[in-house]
Amino acid sequence: MLTAELRPAVRRAAASSPEVPPPKVSPPAAAARVTCDAGRPFEDPHDPRPHAVVIGSGFGGLAAAVRLGARGYRVSVLERNEQAGGRASVFRQDGFTFDAGPTIITLPHLFEELWTLAGRRMADDVTLAAPDPFYKLHFADGSHFACSGDPAAMRAEVARLSPRDLPGYERFLRQSERIYRFAFEELGQKPFSSFAEMIKAGPRFAFHRAEKSVFRFAAETFSDKRLQIAFSFHPLFIGGDPLNATRLYALVSYLEGRWGVHWAMGGTGALVAGLVDLIKGQANGVHTDCDVAEILVEDGHARGVRLGDGRVINADLVVSNADALYTYKHLVPSRWRKRWTDARIDRVRYSMGLFVWYFGVNRRYEDVAHHSILLGPRYEGLLRDIFRRKKLAQDFSLYLHRPTATDPSLAPPGCDAFYVLSPVPNLDSGTDWTGMSETYRRAISSALESRLLPGLERAIVTSKVMTPLDFRDRFNALKGEGFSLEPVILQSAWFRPHNVSEEISGLYLVGAGAHPGAGVPGVLSSARLLDQVIPHANMRRARGAP
């Protein structure tokens, strides 16, 4: 049935260029390795620092390692895959460089703070560029909306689409700033380890009407349907359904306008490489091809980990940057779990899945922005298909990333590198991605060719796809989801897995599944919260902590 739903789009693709053979799909290439200190021993009797093990090397895990190193710990980061970075890893294929995951950097000071903690300057290692516009939305009716950091240009864009919505836009911005102050600067900087903290914040949730969805907020503010979409779609960047995600996510409009949208020259992998170098500079190690099979618990306290090959690594504390739900279900023995039981983990609402197609072409598309969003003919209906009906629909909305618009070095001369992302249902949909992958890719290619990239199929020289199956198998996402738990009110703050484990003493959680949630600012903030809940190594030694 799913194949039949997509068949019309595939027929259109074939009819538009019947003589074009299928694009070249290269075999998986060797990943772009980040040089890791794999030779540093796990046990070092000559190093008196307390030992912290960090499971996973996504941005949350790397940031946690830098912070622990700055607080006097000896740190071993364990990454199950062949390179550091987690979902921010990189791969190279046929002369093209592709970032596997995050492509937008906001709040760059969260990264700069890590360099400062390590006694260095981020500007010496990483150059950030600011694409202009930040991104361009292309609506199904052929109109577009360019989002930028220029207040006058933004007002002009709103007025161009709907002059009568200008007063509403001004109100929306004022609300966005107030929400940012509460949701990010207050809620995001508290660990929410006790329900009392949640009760204390309750009146503020009510004041900001957190029970409303961000889409409802936009719909009540703007009369133009396109503006309702333009100012409500952002939860999709962190796995949220705009129809159900709290209106607190309206903070993004203020956040982007205040701090901008950035891109790391050389790709997001440049940030990963820089963070790995900071960790090495702290005399700590990042170890790849180290798959953790179990967190070892003794008398209710995390004492280290056991690797898949049987090796045991002792530790004074453990920080998991693996998916929070995977951590509890597969790494913590069930006898130690009272809150995060298997039954509860099975009941939570998971974020949507992602279909990502990476491709390189033998030409340049100079008129295409660095970041583009192509909206399909449906908005609300498509979201319901993805999040509620768990149905792979015939239509789709797409995020198109063209990094070579800013950094041509990521492709051979005269070429462009792209990735296009389509939100899809997670594996609860039952979609046979093994059989559907190429069908779905061709449907996306047809849409891109007709709307933004003429001659695309003829120009493709390299291609690779990732489906929810890859997210399950490579990143331990239990249902192939892209962003762990879905960000809804009853899975936020105290209701989300805590940064201080509720189950095991000495176990801490960072990353998309832990508080405050997904997205680069969210996972960096989760690591930042460790400073509040893990004592400095000197204090630990002074009081003889276990």
Side-chain angles (χ1 to χ4, degrees):
M1 179 180 177
L2 293 173
T3 302
E5 287 178 337
L6 287 168
R7 196 172 293 136
V10 175
R11 280 201 299 265
R12 290 193 294 272
S16 64
S17 54
E19 77 284 2
V20 180
K24 174 186 175 184
V25 180
S26 296
R33 289 247 180 194
V34 172
T35 302
C36 296
D37 195 3
R40 181 169 295 280
F42 295 127
E43 309 293 341
D44 187 350
H46 303 294
D47 191 331
R49 296 176 295 171
H51 187 207
V53 161
V54 177
I55 304 170
S57 66
F59 279 141
L62 295 176
V66 172
R67 289 183 174 278
L68 289 168
R71 292 167 64 79
Y73 288 86
R74 179 168 64 88
V75 185
S76 298
V77 181
L78 310 179
E79 170 56 49
R80 72 187 296 262
N81 290 309
E82 73 283 351
Q83 60 166 310
R87 300 186 192 203
S89 59
V90 178
F91 69 91
R92 295 191 176 101
Q93 185 167 286
D94 299 328
F96 294 81
T97 299
F98 299 97
D99 283 310
T103 60
I104 292 176
I105 302 300
T106 54
L107 301 181
H109 60 272
L110 294 178
F111 280 107
E112 291 167 353
E113 189 175 79
L114 299 173
W115 262 260
T116 300
L117 287 171
R120 301 210 343 224
R121 293 176 66 249
M122 179 177 167
D124 291 337
D125 298 323
V126 178
T127 300
L128 293 181
D132 186 24
F134 293 160
Y135 44 82
K136 195 170 184 178
L137 282 78
H138 298 263
F139 299 99
D141 65 1
S143 60
H144 65 270
F145 182 88
C147 182
S148 72
D150 183 336
M154 284 294 290
R155 290 183 179 90
E157 282 290 279
V158 171
R160 183 176 57 79
L161 291 187
S162 179
R164 64 177 176 169
D165 278 321
L166 266 176
Y169 173 65
E170 300 291 349
R171 292 195 305 273
F172 188 90
L173 285 184
R174 290 193 295 270
Q175 286 284 337
S176 178
E177 180 175 0
R178 285 194 286 267
I179 290 171
Y180 170 83
R181 302 292 180 198
F182 167 63
F184 192 87
E185 292 189 349
E186 292 184 38
L187 296 186
Q189 309 310 313
K190 294 179 180 178
F192 279 95
S193 298
S194 72
F195 191 59
E197 291 178 283
M198 193 71 189
I199 294 174
K200 186 177 179 181
R204 302 291 302 283
F205 275 95
F207 175 79
H208 288 285
R209 303 299 303 275
E211 79 284 358
K212 283 190 177 183
S213 74
V214 66
F215 176 73
R216 182 179 171 189
F217 180 31
E220 292 174 348
T221 304
F222 301 99
S223 62
D224 189 283
K225 292 288 186 183
R226 295 165 298 180
L227 294 178
Q228 293 174 10
I229 295 171
F231 291 99
S232 72
F233 78 91
H234 297 96
L236 288 165
F237 283 157
I238 56 169
D241 174 4
L243 304 184
N244 286 282
T246 171
R247 82 174 204 146
L248 297 183
Y249 288 107
L251 65 85
V252 174
S253 293
Y254 173 75
L255 180 153
E256 290 181 343
R258 173 67 177 82
W259 283 280
V261 169
H262 304 271
W263 162 257
M265 297 298 286
T268 310
L271 286 164
V272 173
L275 291 171
V276 169
D277 199 47
L278 295 184
I279 294 166
K280 292 171 61 179
Q282 294 172 319
N284 292 320
V286 178
H287 307 262
T288 55
D289 297 308
C290 286
D291 191 11
V292 174
E294 182 182 354
I295 295 171
L296 301 177
V297 183
E298 180 182 323
D299 297 327
H301 190 93
R303 298 295 185 181
V305 298
R306 178 175 56 82
L307 301 183
D309 61 10
R311 285 180 292 171
V312 169
I313 303 173
N314 297 312
D316 297 285
L317 62 90
V318 175
V319 177
S320 181
N321 180 222
D323 178 77
L325 300 175
Y326 179 89
T327 296
Y328 280 126
K329 190 166 187 176
H330 292 291
L331 300 185
V332 176
S334 60
R335 66 182 179 275
W336 296 109
R337 293 187 276 122
K338 295 180 179 179
R339 184 180 185 195
W340 293 103
T341 62
D342 288 358
R344 178 171 183 173
I345 290 170
D346 290 341
R347 287 196 308 269
V348 304
R349 288 170 58 169
Y350 289 76
S351 65
M352 81 286 197
L354 301 174
F355 181 94
V356 192
W357 175 31
Y358 310 87
F359 60 96
V361 296
N362 60 8
R363 56 166 290 184
R364 299 271 297 176
Y365 288 92
E366 299 292 359
D367 295 334
V368 177
H370 188 128
H371 305 287
S372 301
I373 297 165
L374 285 74
L375 282 305
R378 299 184 303 150
Y379 184 61
E380 297 172 65
L382 179 60
L383 291 172
R384 292 188 181 99
D385 281 347
I386 294 170
F387 286 92
R388 297 296 158 253
R389 301 185 187 108
K390 300 292 193 296
K391 169 189 174 185
L392 183 63
Q394 178 178 342
D395 57 323
F396 35 66
S397 290
L398 304 171
Y399 161 63
L400 181 68
H401 178 226
R402 180 183 170 238
T404 41
T406 303
D407 188 354
S409 71
L410 301 178
C415 297
D416 263 337
F418 289 93
Y419 98 25
V420 61
L421 180 153
S422 176
V424 297
N426 61 41
L427 292 177
D428 277 347
S429 70
T431 303
D432 175 16
W433 282 111
T434 302
M436 280 294 302
S437 178
E438 176 59 13
T439 301
Y440 200 71
R441 185 205 67 78
R442 290 190 66 191
I444 289 174
S445 178
S446 176
L448 290 174
E449 186 157 14
S450 65
R451 295 184 61 180
L452 204 62
L453 304 177
L456 172 60
E457 281 291 314
R458 291 182 174 86
I460 297 170
V461 294
T462 193
S463 178
K464 176 184 175 71
V465 300
M466 285 183 64
T467 75
L469 291 176
D470 296 289
F471 282 81
R472 182 195 65 188
D473 297 340
R474 184 169 178 81
F475 303 125
N476 286 336
L478 295 182
K479 297 196 177 184
E481 72 281 2
F483 305 92
S484 196
L485 292 81
E486 183 182 347
V488 294
I489 282 290
L490 292 181
Q491 293 187 163
S492 300
W494 183 84
F495 298 103
R496 205 168 185 85
H498 298 177
N499 306 105
V500 180
S501 172
E502 309 97 303
E503 313 282 15
I504 306 296
S505 173
L507 174 62
Y508 305 87
L509 279 76
V510 298
H515 173 69
V520 175
V523 300
L524 293 180
S525 294
S526 71
R528 198 183 203 188
L529 290 171
L530 297 184
D531 290 354
Q532 299 181 39
V533 298
I534 297 179
H536 193 284
N538 290 338
M539 295 176 58
R540 186 184 185 91
R541 284 194 294 266
R543 68 188 189 203

